[in-house]
């Protein structure tokens, strides 16, 4: 079985959904995680703190420079991940579709390379 990374892509600007809508989203996300676990494809999932909480390490001239914040600022950022194990890309894409519906956000599906 192959492993795939489902990346939750969040907007970097704008207001988050109101609390009542966020509660509905989180309920759907929990249901999606539960379904993935029951199907035996779920390996790991979690959310990330906002990009401002990041620390970036850059190799340069034989040293590693440490800076606060993300590598680059953009319109979107990684808000969370889910790692699944599936028979093929078609099955992973189906879980990506289900995750997009649950989160209401874009989901990038990418195979792991070993």
């Amino acid at each position: 079985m192959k492993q795939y990374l489902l990346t939750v892509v969040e907007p970097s600007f704008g207001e988050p959904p109101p609390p009542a809508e966020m509660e509905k989203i989180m309920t759907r996300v929990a249901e999606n995680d539960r379904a993935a676990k029951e199907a035996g494809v779920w390996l790991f999932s979690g959310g990330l703190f906002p990009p401002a909480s990041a620390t970036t390490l850059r190799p340069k001239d034989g040293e590693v420079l440490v800076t606060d914040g993300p590598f680059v600022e953009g319109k979107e950022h990684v808000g969370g991940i889910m790692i699944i194990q599936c028979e093929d890309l078609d099955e992973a894409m189906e879980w990506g579709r289900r995750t997009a519906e649950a989160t209401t956000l874009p989901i990038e599906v990418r195979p792991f390379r070993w």
Side-chain angles (χ1 to χ4, degrees):
M1 297 209 14
K2 298 176 183 173
Q3 294 177 346
Y4 296 86
L5 171 67
L6 306 185
T7 304
V8 179
V9 181
E10 292 185 1
S12 294
F13 305 100
E15 295 298 316
E21 182 60 28
M22 185 60 81
E23 186 175 329
K24 291 176 188 175
I25 291 169
M26 295 312 294
T27 297
R28 289 192 307 267
V29 168
E31 290 170 358
N32 188 58
D33 281 356
R34 186 171 33 260
K37 289 174 185 176
E38 289 173 2
V41 301
W42 183 93
L43 296 177
F44 176 82
S45 63
L48 299 173
F49 285 96
S53 68
T55 302
T56 301
L57 300 112
R58 288 185 181 88
K60 184 174 183 178
D61 300 327
E63 295 184 7
V64 177
L65 305 175
V66 178
T67 58
D68 291 335
F71 177 69
V72 293
E73 295 203 20
K75 296 178 190 174
E76 300 173 322
H77 63 273
V78 176
I81 64 167
M82 182 178 193
I83 299 173
I84 58 175
Q85 187 165 284
C86 299
E87 288 293 329
D88 55 29
L89 180 59
D90 289 338
E91 184 182 6
M93 294 292 288
E94 175 59 21
W95 283 103
R97 183 194 62 74
R98 292 173 71 158
T99 303
E101 289 174 345
T103 63
T104 71
L105 294 168
I107 302 297
E108 178 183 303
V109 177
R110 190 182 301 190
F112 272 26
R113 177 175 49 194
W114 295 98

